[in-house]
């Protein structure tokens, strides 16, 4: 594993020289917060942020994405035949992704990359992307990554881990993809790995918020599902869907056809389990017809179904976005603890 | 990388009105490209996405049987945007077919067993596929007794009537057709499906499986009847429906607990279903 030292004075020119080979996506000021966007030539990723308002999941899973295209013009020989859309899968690098968001992309990969089916859209963007993480030395109050199997220096899902170290950055190449990028940027001075050890310890100590998840896997699904706390936990929910859009591990989507003139596209858009239409049958019957059903689905999915299905822990990386952005202060940390501390009714 | 969202182009080869109220039609599709039919190799009990460019997709059980070659058939109830559009389409029109999707009735397990099939209304499509499969000369000897209880409101609402009449004449399948209330020229049973199941279905034993498909109300009243007849939950097989988009376990909406109806199902035993939230 190569560790490289990058003088901050050489950083901008290095990133800029990458732009011949890579699209660079980095944090930038977007209204009242930071978000990830493609940076123009000469534009530097702005590291003066705690975390971005939206997660960077859209880099591999755009909010709206063309899947297929076709013509409905009956004068054309191939009308009503669906075709692949030509897309840009040239190399790109996301520079400054937080370790929690990188781990989230790894968790979501399990949904899109299965033994039976591969989602080509998600996987091709994933494969085209080099993930350059930025360690968190100043975690937010709402961060609880250390209790979700993640952490401010977590390396999972990253090709490079960067950390700030005074007048320089230290970069740890974690994969071949990462080494290639560092080489292309012309960064080659040897760095000291010890910086990571010390930084990690300090950063982890700053995270004071946590969740308890140890008992989740032992409950029967129906014990948790039928527990009496869901009405209370969902009472204030507006079903606005903010949590699902901000969440780096939420992946649900809708598929729609759109036709303009005689040209049609099949697109997929982010969807949300908070919306009644998500599950409504044509008959009007809705298996998750109340907000209590929908809130329960979201938390059961993240904290029970996912845990049981993949045995890789919970589907939450502790980024705290939903905690900060929920308009009615529903807090996944509280929900998780209530679930984990549930005492099932004794069997009569 | 194969794109599981890309449908096979198909042409509508035939359209048949399936019920007297014209709410159901049977569509016969042929594949436009050579080799696609082989790629679409399916088992009785699976479904596919009927994919209409410009309109959308709808998951429908496959009504034709793996032993029928050269085409695929679906019987479709006119109800939503896509199915209403489909009902207006004509022979010769081109659209897409994506699949086969989901699991199927457990044919390996069912080999050597007696099979009780219970169907109601227009949920008889994959059951038709199954019966045709079992009655095929190459397969009939693999199964024990076959009993079929099939009910609809009126004689005109029964699907696949010509075949039902033929099956009635055979001695290697016991048909128990029924309609809700008396009708002229009806020579078979009268009464709801659960009642006729109670009267005609064989008692359970370790070698008998029941496959049940129908509207929720039929299922609700049939399950206690099966219990009285001694059927254990792992011998009762059901096929579920939920709203779907991707059909391949990715889009996130059709789950019941950790099971995805589109990929882990739609076929489940009652034993499995009883371990999951009733979100279907």
């Amino acid at each position: 594993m190569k560790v490289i030292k990058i003088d901050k004075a050489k950083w901008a020119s290095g990133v800029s020289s990458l732009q011949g080979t890579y699209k660079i996506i980095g944090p930038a000021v977007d209204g009242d917060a930071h978000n990830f966007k493609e940076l123009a030539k000469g534009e530097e990723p702005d590291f003066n942020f705690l975390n971005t308002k939206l997660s960077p999941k859209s880099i591999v899973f755009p909010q709206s994405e063309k899947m297929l295209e076709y013509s409905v013009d009956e004068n054309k020989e191939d009308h009503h035949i669906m075709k692949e859309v030509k897309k840009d899968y040239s190399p790109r690098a996301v520079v400054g992704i937080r370790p929690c968001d990188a781990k989230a992309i790894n968790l979501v990969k399990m949904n899109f990359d299965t033994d039976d089916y591969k989602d080509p859209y998600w996987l091709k963007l994933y494969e085209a992307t080099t993930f350059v993480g930025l360690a968190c030395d100043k975690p937010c109050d709402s961060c609880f990554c250390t209790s979700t199997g993640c952490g401010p220096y977590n390396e999972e899902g990253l090709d490079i881990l960067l950390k700030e170290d005074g007048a320089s950055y230290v970069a740890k190449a974690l994969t071949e993809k990462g080494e290639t990028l560092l080489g292309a940027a012309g960064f080659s001075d040897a760095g000291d790995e010890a910086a990571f050890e010390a930084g990690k310890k300090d950063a982890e100590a700053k995270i004071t918020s946590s969740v308890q998840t140890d008992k989740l896997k032992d409950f029967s699904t129906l014990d948790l599902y039928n527990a009496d706390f869901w009405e209370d936990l969902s009472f204030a929910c507006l079903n606005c869907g903010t949590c699902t859009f901000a969440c780096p591990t939420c992946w649900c989507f809708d598929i729609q056809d759109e036709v303009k003139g005689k040209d049609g596209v099949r697109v997929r858009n982010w969807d949300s389990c908070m919306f009644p239409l998500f599950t409504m049958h044509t008959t009007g019957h809705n298996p998750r017809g109340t907000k209590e059903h929908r809130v329960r689905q979201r938390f059961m999915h993240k904290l029970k179904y996912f845990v049981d299905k993949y045995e890789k822990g919970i589907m939450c990386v502790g980024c705290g976005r939903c905690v900060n952005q929920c308009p009615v202060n529903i807090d996944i940390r509280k929900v998780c603890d209530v679930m984990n501390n549930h005492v099932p009714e004794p069997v009569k | 990388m194969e794109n599981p969202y890309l449908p096979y182009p198909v042409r509508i080869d035939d359209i048949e009105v399936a019920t007297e109220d014209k709410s159901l039609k049977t569509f016969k599709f042929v594949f436009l490209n050579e080799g696609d039919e082989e790629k679409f190799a399916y088992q009785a009990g699976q479904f596919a996405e009927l994919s209409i460019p410009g309109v959308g997709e709808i998951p429908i059980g496959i009504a034709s049987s793996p032993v029928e070659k050269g085409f695929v058939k679906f019987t479709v109830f006119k109800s939503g945007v896509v199915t209403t559009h489909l009902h207006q389409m004509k022979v010769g029109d081109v659209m897409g077919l994506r699949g086969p999707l989901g699991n199927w009735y457990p044919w390996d397990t069912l080999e050597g067993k007696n099979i009780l099939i219970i169907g109601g209304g227009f949920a008889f499509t994959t059951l038709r596929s199954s019966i045709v499969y079992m009655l095929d000369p190459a397969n009939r000897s693999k199964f024990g007794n076959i009993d079929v209880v099939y009910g609809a409101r009126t004689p005109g609402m029964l699907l696949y009537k010509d075949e039902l009449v033929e099956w009635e004449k055979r001695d290697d399948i016991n048909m128990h057709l029924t309609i809700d209330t008396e009708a002229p020229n009806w020579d078979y049973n009268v009464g709801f499906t659960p009642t006729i199941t109670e009267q005609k279905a064989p008692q359970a034993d370790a070698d008998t499986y029941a496959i049940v498909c129908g509207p929720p109300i039929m299922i609700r009243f049939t399950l206690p009847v099966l219990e009285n007849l001694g059927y254990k939950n792992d011998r009762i097989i059901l096929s579920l429906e939920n709203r779907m988009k991707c059909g391949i376990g990715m889009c996130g909406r059709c789950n019941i607990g950790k099971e995805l109806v589109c990929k882990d199902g739609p076929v489940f035993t009652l034993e499995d279903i009883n371990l999951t939230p009733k979100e279907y």
Side-chain angles (χ1 to χ4, degrees):
Chain A
M1 203 166 9
K2 238 189 208 166
V3 178
I4 302 283
K5 186 177 171 182
I6 306 162
D7 194 326
K8 280 189 181 169
K10 293 183 187 159
W11 171 250
S13 66
V15 171
S16 172
S17 68
L18 284 176
Q19 285 181 310
T21 2
Y22 295 84
K23 281 186 193 180
I24 301 293
I25 300 155
V29 172
D30 177 19
D32 59 354
H34 277 73
N35 273 317
F36 281 89
K37 67 160 200 164
E38 190 181 334
L39 302 178
K41 187 94 183 154
E43 197 178 351
E44 255 186 82
D46 180 0
F47 286 173
N48 187 24
F49 74 114
L50 294 173
N51 207 353
T52 51
K53 187 160 194 176
L54 288 172
S55 90
K57 68 179 170 186
S58 59
I59 293 165
V60 286
F61 182 47
Q63 184 166 357
S64 187
E65 178 174 27
K66 276 185 202 172
M67 305 176 86
L68 302 165
E69 60 187 9
Y70 47 86
S71 169
V72 294
D73 182 353
E74 303 212 348
N75 296 315
K76 289 195 174 159
E77 203 180 314
D78 59 354
H79 70 88
H80 289 91
I81 293 181
M82 296 257 176
K83 297 194 179 60
E84 303 259 16
V85 180
K86 251 201 151 51
K87 291 192 169 206
D88 174 15
Y89 293 114
S90 60
R92 61 213 58 210
V94 45
V95 180
I97 185 173
R98 293 296 188 187
C100 55
D101 291 333
K103 172 166 172 135
I105 286 174
N106 249 23
L107 292 180
V108 172
K109 187 167 185 280
M110 293 194 277
N111 183 62
F112 288 115
D113 185 4
T114 69
D115 291 344
D116 304 316
Y117 298 103
K118 312 271 177 212
D119 185 292
Y121 310 103
W122 196 97
L123 283 169
K124 283 180 188 173
L125 280 174
Y126 175 80
E127 279 156 16
T129 308
T130 303
F131 296 91
V132 183
L134 179 62
C136 279
D137 289 318
K138 280 186 259 172
C140 314
D141 295 340
S142 52
C143 288
F144 54 102
C145 55
T146 45
S147 57
T148 62
C150 190
Y153 277 64
N154 198 59
E155 296 173 354
E156 228 174 309
L158 289 174
D159 297 300
I160 296 172
L161 179 63
L162 275 184
K163 91 160 248 84
E164 290 204 64
D165 192 18
S168 53
Y169 295 109
V170 200
K172 196 195 284 187
L174 302 163
T175 64
E176 217 167 285
K177 246 180 173 179
E179 283 194 26
T180 307
L181 182 134
L182 287 173
F187 298 138
S188 57
D189 299 344
D192 183 7
E193 201 183 344
F196 287 97
E197 284 311 308
K200 184 178 176 199
K201 225 173 145 188
D202 285 355
E204 283 179 357
K206 285 181 198 155
I207 292 170
T208 52
S209 179
S210 66
V211 287
Q212 300 164 27
T213 60
D214 55 313
K215 296 194 208 119
L216 291 170
K217 65 175 186 319
D218 298 331
F219 291 111
S220 88
T221 293
L222 291 178
D223 260 346
L224 285 178
Y225 184 87
N226 293 320
D228 57 5
F229 47 68
W230 293 110
E231 188 184 354
D232 183 41
L233 291 175
S234 62
F235 180 75
C237 181
L238 310 171
N239 276 169
C240 68
T242 298
C243 51
T244 58
F245 278 52
C247 178
T249 66
C250 274
W251 67 62
C252 290
F253 62 87
D254 186 21
I255 300 176
Q256 291 289 336
D257 279 53
E258 281 178 13
V259 181
K260 198 172 176 188
K262 299 279 184 192
D263 299 320
V265 283
R266 182 159 287 168
V267 291
R268 76 160 157 212
N269 301 313
W270 289 358
D271 206 342
S272 170
C273 58
M274 292 293 110
F275 303 156
L277 276 180
F278 187 61
T279 47
M280 193 190 282
H281 291 198
T282 309
T283 55
H285 165 66
N286 195 342
R288 294 197 278 268
T290 67
K291 75 171 176 186
E292 186 180 333
H293 285 132
R294 296 189 283 275
V295 169
R296 174 169 56 188
Q297 158 64 16
R298 180 160 193 275
F299 290 118
M300 284 292 283
H301 187 199
K302 293 202 175 299
L303 306 173
K304 179 61 183 166
Y305 306 153
F306 187 89
V307 172
D308 290 351
K309 182 164 178 171
Y310 296 106
E311 298 181 342
K312 300 261 186 198
I314 58 174
M315 191 175 87
C316 169
V317 291
C319 74
R321 286 187 180 89
C322 59
V323 176
N324 289 327
Q325 294 178 37
C326 176
V328 296
N329 293 324
I330 291 175
D331 189 329
I332 192 170
R333 295 171 296 183
K334 180 186 159 193
V335 176
C336 190
D337 288 352
V338 167
M339 286 171 71
N340 197 60
N341 295 321
H342 176 56
V343 181
E345 295 273 323
V347 181
K348 279 166 200 158
Chain B
M1 207 182 304
E2 287 256 326
N3 185 342
Y5 299 101
L6 186 67
Y8 299 117
V10 291
R11 192 185 69 241
I12 302 177
D13 193 49
D14 189 38
I15 303 172
E16 216 178 296
V17 175
T19 51
E20 64 185 0
D21 71 349
K22 300 184 177 62
S23 66
L24 284 115
K25 286 182 177 176
T26 298
F27 297 84
K28 183 175 163 192
F29 298 103
V30 292
F31 291 91
L32 290 188
N33 297 333
E34 211 176 308
D36 283 356
E37 189 189 343
E38 289 69 35
K39 286 193 229 162
F40 192 84
Y42 62 94
Q43 302 253 26
Q46 288 193 282
F47 70 98
E49 290 278 354
L50 306 188
S51 186
I52 307 178
V55 184
E57 292 188 315
I58 188 85
I60 305 281
I62 306 173
S64 52
S65 184
V67 295
E68 298 171 302
K69 300 294 178 195
F71 61 89
V72 211
K73 264 187 187 180
F74 296 83
T75 301
V76 181
F77 177 56
K78 183 168 85 173
S79 52
V81 172
V82 180
T83 55
T84 302
H85 186 96
L86 184 62
H87 268 242
Q88 290 160 359
M89 288 174 72
K90 305 179 298 292
V91 170
D93 284 349
V94 171
M95 52 180 274
L97 184 60
R98 196 156 68 78
L101 301 168
N103 66 353
W104 47 86
Y105 300 118
W107 297 112
D108 289 343
T109 311
L110 295 176
E111 237 183 271
K113 305 296 194 298
N114 303 313
I115 313 290
L116 166 63
I117 283 186
I118 304 170
F122 48 82
F124 199 64
T125 57
T126 61
L127 298 180
R128 186 242 167 223
S129 174
S130 304
I131 294 168
V132 172
Y133 169 75
M134 290 189 289
L135 292 182
D136 188 73
N139 296 329
R140 183 61 191 90
S141 61
K142 293 182 197 163
F143 302 96
N145 298 328
I146 302 175
D147 280 81
V148 177
V149 182
Y150 177 31
R153 271 176 284 149
T154 62
M157 292 304 289
L158 286 163
L159 297 175
Y160 319 120
K161 277 174 287 289
D162 296 348
E163 287 175 320
L164 298 178
V165 170
E166 268 181 52
W167 296 338
E168 273 284 359
K169 291 180 196 152
R170 294 176 69 130
D171 59 7
D172 59 353
I173 178 169
N174 307 313
M175 298 296 293
H176 312 286
L177 299 176
T178 183
I179 54 171
D180 288 359
T181 50
E182 294 279 359
N185 306 319
W186 177 255
D187 301 330
Y188 309 105
N189 302 288
V190 175
F192 294 124
T193 303
T195 314
I196 304 305
T197 305
E198 197 165 25
Q199 293 166 8
K200 301 291 173 84
Q203 285 285 331
D205 60 43
D207 284 332
T208 306
Y209 281 76
I211 302 178
V212 188
C213 259
I217 186 85
M218 182 205 96
I219 290 177
R220 194 199 306 166
F221 287 102
T222 301
L223 293 181
V225 170
L226 288 176
E227 196 182 337
N228 287 340
L229 289 169
Y231 286 81
K232 299 272 185 287
N233 289 350
D234 64 349
R235 292 289 190 273
I236 300 174
I237 298 164
L238 297 143
S239 182
L240 300 184
E241 288 185 333
N242 247 354
R243 184 173 186 143
M244 291 174 193
K245 289 284 177 173
C246 71
I248 55 173
M250 290 182 184
C251 78
R253 55 177 49 59
C254 71
N255 69 298
I256 47 166
K258 73 179 168 66
E259 313 296 333
L260 295 154
V261 174
C262 73
K263 193 174 153 203
D264 304 317
V267 176
F268 296 94
T269 64
L270 183 58
E271 187 179 37
D272 292 338
I273 291 174
N274 284 344
L275 295 171
T276 65
K278 298 234 172 316
E279 291 189 341
Y280 49 85

